[in-house]
């Protein structure tokens, strides 16, 4: 496949040139960082060490808010977010997020969360209230949510879907054979069912999932995962390169080339996804504003969700 692979006995593979990140600490970046600290807010951009933070904050002025604290109840072996016992829920957080969305004048807001297995609803109630708060204060902003699997509690998922986000995003993360090694408590089939149930509850709301590569999966397994997502009516897919956040996390087994990501994007589109972002630095929320617009255009092509023209 022309990819940089891990040789037996090697603990480290040198990052290819295409993974170099352009830093942009311009005024937009500094303003957003200052505002997040003043509002007591967390972003997955910082907590998960996203490689695109300078592009999103510095050039696109977009950010992904991480609610329900910065401490996760799970310890997935790919993720840099801190693990431990979370604090009590901050019930004022939804209003602070909504105020920040207004200050940033966002057209599209992404709301993600740490896993809160300590809560009966997994934090779905606070996430739903965050959607409603953004709607009240920013009626023209589209809202994407990226929840955990809520421990497979589908009543909690209904709480979230009843708030009607513009996109429901839940990440499959890796292929079936690697799930047990990569993810702490989530399972491959439960994530697929989560996405399918979300679509059944609100058929007009696009669903989305993300796959990271370089953990030891085969090309055939990547294609099988695409098929599994489409079999559960997932509309949008993002595919990116796994990067080891610290030495304690899983090692990178392969670096895929930009050309291979381009080929995977083409394959995904032939399988019926309405939009696919694929590239070495692509992450779940990468260019999320473009994805919601693409999904809306696809629905219009199919004649879904259109307001009938007034009769003469």
């Amino acid at each position: 496949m022309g990819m940089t692979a891990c040789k037996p006995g090697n603990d480290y593979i040198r990052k290819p040139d295409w993974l170099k990140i352009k830093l942009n600490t311009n005024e937009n970046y500094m303003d957003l960082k200052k505002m997040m600290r003043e509002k007591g807010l967390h972003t997955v951009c910082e907590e998960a060490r996203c490689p695109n933070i300078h592009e999103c904050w510095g050039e696109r002025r977009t950010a992904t808010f991480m609610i329900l604290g910065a401490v996760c109840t799970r310890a997935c072996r790919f993720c840099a977010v801190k693990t431990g016992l979370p604090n009590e829920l901050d019930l004022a957080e939804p209003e602070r997020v909504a105020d920040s969305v207004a200050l940033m004048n966002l057209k599209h807001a992404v709301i993600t969360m740490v896993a809160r297995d300590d809560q009966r609803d997994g934090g779905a109630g606070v996430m739903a209230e965050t959607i409603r708060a953004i709607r009240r204060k920013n009626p023209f902003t589209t809202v994407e949510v990226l929840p955990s699997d809520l421990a497979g509690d589908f009543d909690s998922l209904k709480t979230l879907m009843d708030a009607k986000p513009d996109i429901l995003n839940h990440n499959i993360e890796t292929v079936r054979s690697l799930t047990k090694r990569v993810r702490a408590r989530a399972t491959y089939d439960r994530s697929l069912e989560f996405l399918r149930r979300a679509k059944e509850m609100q058929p007009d709301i696009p669903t989305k999932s993300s796959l990271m590569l370089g953990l030891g999966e085969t090309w055939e397994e990547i294609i099988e995962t695409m098929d599994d997502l489409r079999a559960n009516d997932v509309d949008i897919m993002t595919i990116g390169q796994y990067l080891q956040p610290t030495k304690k996390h899983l090692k990178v087994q392969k670096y895929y080339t930009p050309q291979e990501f381009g080929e995977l994007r083409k394959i995904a589109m032939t399988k019926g996804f309405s939009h696919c972002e694929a590239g070495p630095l692509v992450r779940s929320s990468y260019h999320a504003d473009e994805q919601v617009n693409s999904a809306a255009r696809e629905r219009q092509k199919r004649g879904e969700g259109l307001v009938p023209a007034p009769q003469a």
Side-chain angles (χ1 to χ4, degrees):
M1 298 302 304
M3 58 191 78
T4 306
C6 184
K7 295 179 182 177
N10 280 6
D11 287 335
Y12 175 76
I13 320 169
R14 186 180 64 83
K15 284 184 184 177
D17 289 343
W18 59 78
L19 283 171
K20 289 180 180 175
I21 300 165
K22 178 186 174 186
L23 300 184
N24 184 351
T25 52
N26 65 15
E27 191 174 346
N28 278 350
Y29 176 88
M30 300 308 292
D31 285 349
L32 283 183
K33 190 158 190 169
K34 183 170 181 283
M35 188 189 73
M36 293 296 176
R37 298 295 78 76
E38 288 173 350
K39 291 283 185 180
L41 296 172
H42 302 282
T43 68
V44 76
C45 319
E46 294 175 289
E47 301 295 338
R49 307 183 188 189
C50 181
N52 303 308
I53 186 170
H54 290 85
E55 178 188 352
C56 295
W57 286 27
E59 296 174 25
R60 301 177 74 92
R61 201 172 175 89
T62 63
T64 299
F65 298 90
M66 189 170 76
I67 64 170
L68 299 160
V71 180
C72 187
T73 54
R74 301 182 186 181
C76 297
R77 297 186 65 202
F78 66 90
C79 183
V81 174
K82 292 186 289 291
T83 302
L85 185 64
N87 296 324
E88 291 183 9
L89 295 185
D90 179 357
L91 299 181
E93 188 173 39
E95 296 297 328
R96 292 204 312 279
V97 171
D99 288 341
S100 298
V101 169
L103 281 171
M104 293 164 68
N105 194 27
L106 296 183
K107 292 181 180 178
H108 184 70
V110 183
I111 313 299
T112 189
M113 62 183 289
V114 291
R116 290 297 301 256
D117 297 310
D118 59 312
Q119 297 294 315
R120 187 181 59 81
D121 71 348
V126 174
M127 183 170 263
E129 182 51 40
T130 303
I131 298 169
R132 290 190 286 267
I134 293 172
R135 295 266 190 251
R136 286 194 299 270
K137 296 183 177 181
N138 310 273
F140 298 108
T141 300
T142 51
V143 183
E144 175 178 334
V145 292
L146 174 54
S148 73
D149 62 7
L150 304 176
D153 186 311
F154 297 113
D155 288 336
S156 299
L157 176 59
K158 186 174 187 305
T159 296
L160 188 54
M161 296 308 290
D162 284 349
K164 297 198 173 178
D166 292 280
I167 291 184
L168 182 283
N169 182 358
H170 174 69
N171 291 338
I172 198 80
E173 304 291 10
T174 189
V175 300
R176 182 186 293 277
S177 68
L178 297 177
T179 295
K180 191 174 288 188
R181 186 162 67 94
V182 172
R183 304 172 79 188
R185 298 187 191 176
T187 70
Y188 188 86
D189 287 314
R190 189 160 75 190
S191 285
L192 289 175
E193 185 180 8
F194 188 92
L195 289 157
R196 177 176 57 77
R197 295 256 195 142
K199 178 65 77 173
E200 288 171 354
M201 291 173 187
Q202 297 286 349
D204 291 339
I205 295 178
T207 51
K208 171 180 167 183
S209 196
S210 183
L211 186 64
M212 57 185 169
L213 306 183
L215 288 161
E217 68 290 320
T218 67
W219 188 267
E220 291 73 24
E221 286 179 311
I222 299 169
I223 307 306
E224 286 170 11
T225 304
M226 288 183 187
D227 289 336
D228 288 340
L229 291 172
R230 284 300 299 135
N232 287 275
D233 293 325
V234 174
D235 302 288
I236 300 166
M237 186 176 190
T238 60
I239 311 171
Q241 171 71 50
Y242 168 68
L243 300 175
Q244 184 182 17
T246 74
K247 290 181 179 179
K248 295 179 181 178
H249 292 82
L250 291 169
K251 294 182 176 67
V252 177
Q253 300 298 315
K254 293 178 182 177
Y255 285 114
Y256 289 72
T257 67
Q259 291 75 21
E260 286 165 330
F261 279 107
E263 180 63 24
L264 287 170
R265 183 188 180 280
K266 288 178 185 175
I267 293 170
M269 295 305 290
T270 65
K271 289 184 178 294
F273 290 99
S274 65
H275 189 97
C276 177
E277 289 275 354
L281 295 178
V282 165
R283 295 297 179 265
S284 187
S285 302
Y286 189 64
H287 293 182
D289 51 335
E290 296 175 9
Q291 294 162 25
V292 71
N293 292 333
S294 178
R297 286 194 297 270
E298 188 65 24
R299 288 204 307 277
Q300 287 178 348
K301 283 182 189 175
R302 296 196 302 257
E304 299 172 9
L306 292 176
V307 178
Q311 300 298 311

